[in-house]
Amino acid sequence: MTSAALSVVASIPSPSISSFQLGPLTIHFYALCILAGIIVATLWTNRRLTARGAEPWVVIDIALLAVPLAIIGARIFHVLTHPGFYFGEGKDLWAIFRIWEGGIAIFGALIGGAIGAWLGCKWSGIRFWTFADALAPALLLAQAFGRFGNWFNQELYGLPTDLPWGLEIDYPNSAWPAGLPVGTLFHPTFLYEVIWNVMGVIIIAAAGRRFRLQWGRLFGLYLVWYSAGRIVWESIRIDPSEVYLGLRTNVWAAIFGVIVGLVIMIVQKRRHPGLEPSPYQPGREWTPPGGVHSQGTDDFVDVSAPPASEESSGGATSSLTTR
C-alpha cells in the first residue's frame, strides 16, 4: 500500500508556463502571486486593526507608503547581495532597474516596508507597533502566497533529492547545477516555506489572542518564526548567492531577523508591561459614529479590572504605556 502511494506521488511537477499574454501585456504568475498576497494581507490587517478600534480602511493610508518602499527595499537588498549580477566588466548596470526580470529579497522588503509603515503610521496617527502586530499573521500568509510564484518560475529550489516529493525542473534551466543529469529532482523549498508559513499564521494568530501580545511583541514573534524557517530553507537552496564566513547572505539576514525579533519581544515586554490604551497615537484618536468600535472584541482590548496599584494612581494602564 505504501509503495503504491509513493509510486503515485513520485515527484512534484513544475508548471509548464510562467506567464500569459493579455493583449500587448505579458502577465507573470509570479506577479499575480505577489499581488494576491498583498490583497489578502491588506484585507486581514484592516479587519484586525478595525477590531482593535482603528478607523476602517486606515490600513490603505499606511499601505500607500509601505508597499512601494517594500518593493524598492526588496530590489535594493537583492542587488547588494548579488553584486556579480549587475556590476563588473560586461554587466549591464541598467538591469538594476528592470525589476520585472526578477530579483527581489524579502528581507529588503521588510526593511523598506517597515520604513514606509512607520511613515504611514505617522501620517495616519496609528501607533506603529499596533499596526505591526495587526500585520504579523497577515504578512506571513502573504509570503506563503508569494512562494508559489517561485514554483511557477522554477527557481530557488533546493539540493537534489530522491524523496517522493522531489520537485521536477525543466531542462535546460539557467539555474541547473553543472554535472547533474536530466531528470534530477530537487527539494521543493517553496513548498517547505509555504507549509512553515501557514503553520506560523495559525500559531501567531492564536498566540496574539491567548497571550494578548501587544507593543510589537506579536511582530517580534513573527520575525523569530519566519527567520528561523528561512535559516533552514536557505541552507539547502542552491541558487547563486554571496557567501560570507561559510554562510549565504540570506542565512545571515535570517539569523539577524531572529535576534531582532527576540530583542523586540524582550525589550517591549519590559518597557510596556500593560496593554495599549489605544491603537492611535496620543491626540490622534478616532471615535466611530455611535460608540466605541472595539468594545465587542477581546482580541486586543483589556476588559478586566486594573490592578490595585494602578487604581490608586488614577490610571488604567501603567505609566510606561504612554511612551
Side-chain angles (χ1 to χ4, degrees):
M1 181 67 179
T2 302
S3 60
L6 291 179
S7 64
V8 174
V9 190
S11 60
I12 299 175
S14 290
S16 58
I17 61 173
S18 62
S19 63
F20 62 91
Q21 292 297 131
L22 186 62
L25 300 176
T26 300
I27 308 299
H28 294 272
F29 287 109
Y30 183 90
L32 294 179
C33 291
I34 296 293
L35 183 60
I38 292 174
I39 293 173
V40 169
T42 301
L43 293 174
W44 194 9
T45 303
N46 173 70
R47 180 178 178 181
R48 287 170 58 81
L49 275 178
T50 301
R52 178 64 178 89
E55 181 181 3
W57 299 113
V58 69
V59 65
I60 299 296
D61 295 335
I62 302 172
L64 286 174
L65 289 171
V67 172
L69 287 182
I71 295 173
I72 293 172
R75 183 60 171 180
I76 292 175
F77 193 95
H78 167 77
V79 171
L80 293 179
T81 55
H82 296 79
F85 290 6
Y86 305 98
F87 306 105
E89 186 177 354
K91 301 297 182 180
D92 181 8
L93 193 61
W94 291 106
I96 292 175
F97 303 99
R98 295 198 291 270
I99 192 172
W100 56 89
E101 295 180 353
I104 56 176
I106 183 59
F107 289 109
L110 289 175
I111 296 171
I115 295 172
W118 182 82
L119 292 172
C121 287
K122 296 287 287 185
W123 176 20
S124 62
I126 294 289
R127 293 178 188 267
F128 172 76
W129 289 122
T130 302
F131 173 78
D133 288 337
L135 175 67
L139 178 57
L140 201 54
L141 184 59
Q143 289 169 316
F145 274 83
R147 279 306 172 197
F148 282 102
N150 300 136
W151 181 46
F152 278 101
N153 282 357
Q154 301 193 35
E155 61 184 4
L156 308 185
Y157 43 85
L159 294 165
T161 181
D162 56 1
L163 292 171
W165 56 81
L167 180 65
E168 300 174 15
I169 297 295
D170 292 340
Y171 184 90
N173 183 292
S174 59
W176 191 279
L180 290 181
V182 177
T184 299
L185 301 179
F186 302 89
H187 279 286
T189 49
F190 87 92
L191 183 59
Y192 297 161
E193 189 167 328
V194 167
I195 295 173
W196 179 258
N197 287 357
V198 172
M199 290 172 54
V201 168
I202 298 172
I203 291 173
I204 290 173
R209 291 191 298 268
R210 175 66 178 82
F211 302 106
R212 293 184 177 181
L213 299 179
Q214 296 185 359
W215 297 106
R217 286 183 288 152
L218 195 64
F219 186 76
L221 178 60
Y222 152 80
L223 282 177
V224 172
W225 180 273
Y226 176 72
S227 300
R230 280 300 294 269
I231 291 174
V232 178
W233 320 140
E234 285 291 334
S235 298
I236 64 175
R237 273 173 38 175
I238 57 177
D239 52 293
S241 174
E242 295 294 314
V243 176
Y244 300 98
L245 301 177
L247 297 178
R248 294 160 59 94
T249 51
N250 278 339
V251 174
W252 284 115
I255 293 173
F256 184 71
V258 171
I259 295 172
V260 171
L262 290 173
V263 169
I264 290 174
M265 296 179 71
I266 294 171
V267 171
Q268 291 297 84
K269 174 63 175 178
R270 293 178 177 176
R271 291 186 61 196
H272 304 286
L275 294 176
E276 295 176 355
S278 165
Y280 284 92
Q281 302 165 21
R284 303 287 299 277
E285 292 81 3
W286 171 80
T287 302
V292 179
H293 193 86
S294 62
Q295 292 301 308
T297 179
D298 60 356
D299 282 354
F300 298 95
V301 180
D302 186 6
V303 296
S304 61
S309 60
E310 293 183 358
E311 288 180 338
S312 62
S313 64
T317 60
S318 76
S319 60
L320 293 175
T321 59
T322 60
R323 293 185 181 180

